[in-house]
Each structure stands twice: as structure tokens, then as C-alpha cells.
Amino acid sequence: MLPSRNQLELYQQVIMDHNRKPRNFGKMECCSHQAEGLNPLCGDHLWVYLNIDEGGFIQGVGFEGNGCAISKASASIMTTLVKGKTVGEAKDLFESFSAMLKGTMASEDELERLGKLKVFSGVSRYPSRIKCAVLPWHALQGAMNQKNVVSTE
Ligand code: ZN
């Protein structure tokens, strides 16, 4: 289901807010996992830092780097969502988020589970922007899998 025009405007405001005031921004010391993410198509370049405990819980998460509003807002929102989750839960969230962007979401329930990530639902209309939105998640996945550099290309 496509968001209404009013919803899209609201979503746009949330994206701009996270772009202006990114949450959990800055290099994180003492991280257990990290990865660098590149989206050569747009020029987005960021690093994601994680502290994962022995139980597989993401205790700390941060990011830094430069990119367009979509990639920065996506990274910012991602950090607020995955903190306290397990690695498996974060991967599930990424799966659902990609499905929403690709327009292959299974159900309305799955969409509801995305919570704040719904603000990116308008991005699915712009294929070149999808890579900006998923870049931080690719970097997150890279960090969780101990892969140090990931690229959308
Ligand atoms: Zn971008």
C-alpha cells in the first residue's frame, strides 16, 4: 500500500530531522565490530560501529561519515532501532526493510513491524535512492559478519 501525500510529507520531515541531527553520530571507542560502507553511485561513505556482547545483543551502536540526506537519516534511524536487539533481530529488520524498498513486502503486518522505518517507504519510487537507504544496513550487516568493507555496487 502506498503512503498518502500527507504521510509522505510527514515522512520527509522525519528524514530531514535525522539528517540535521543524526542520532548516535561520531566515532565509537572500544567497539567490538565495525564496517565501512560505500555507495559509489551517490558518493555516500560511512562507518558503522557496534558493541555486541557475548549473548549476541547489540549493546552499543554508532556511525559516522558523509552522505546524502537519505543515507544519513537511514543510518541515524537504524542506530535508534537496533540498539538492544540481537544480531538475529537486526538481520530480520534489514530483510523487512529491503522488502519494503523493493516493493516485495509480504503483508501489512510486516510493514507495521518496521515502525519508524516506514518513513522511507516513499524511497521505493526512486530506484537510485534505494541504495542510499540500504547502505547503512549493508554496513551493519558487514560489521555483524566481520566483513570490514561493503559496497552497494
Ligand atoms: Zn545517497
Side-chain angles (χ1 to χ4, degrees), residues 9-138:
E9 268 171 30
L10 186 75
Y11 289 169
Q12 189 64 19
Q13 281 169 19
V14 175
I15 290 171
M16 292 326 279
D17 175 60
H18 275 270
N19 175 46
R20 269 197 308 269
K21 292 177 290 182
R23 320 301 197 264
N24 304 302
F25 188 78
K27 176 149 177 65
M28 207 169 81
E29 298 303 328
C30 316
C31 62
S32 62
H33 296 66
Q34 70 174 71
E36 178 180 2
L38 290 162
N39 175 17
L41 231 55
C42 176
D44 309 315
H45 189 187
L46 50 85
W47 284 261
V48 168
Y49 308 103
L50 292 172
N51 264 325
I52 301 174
D53 71 12
E54 283 164 14
F57 283 90
I58 299 170
Q59 297 290 3
V61 52
F63 81 102
E64 66 174 351
N66 280 304
C68 65
I70 302 268
S71 66
K72 240 165 116 180
S74 176
S76 173
I77 291 173
M78 175 186 82
T79 61
T80 66
L81 291 176
V82 301
K83 196 169 175 186
K85 287 202 164 56
T86 64
V87 166
E89 286 167 343
K91 284 183 181 172
D92 286 347
L93 203 54
F94 178 34
E95 293 284 309
S96 299
F97 183 48
S98 322
M100 179 189 78
L101 293 172
K102 288 182 208 143
T104 56
M105 197 111 217
S107 65
E108 202 71 2
D109 278 358
E110 197 180 357
L111 187 64
E112 282 314 307
R113 249 181 292 138
L114 283 176
K116 220 176 202 178
L117 288 173
K118 280 193 287 185
V119 301
F120 295 101
S121 52
V123 172
S124 60
R125 294 185 203 173
Y126 307 98
S128 63
R129 297 309 233 163
I130 293 176
K131 288 181 177 170
C132 303
V134 297
L135 175 68
W137 289 88
H138 277 298

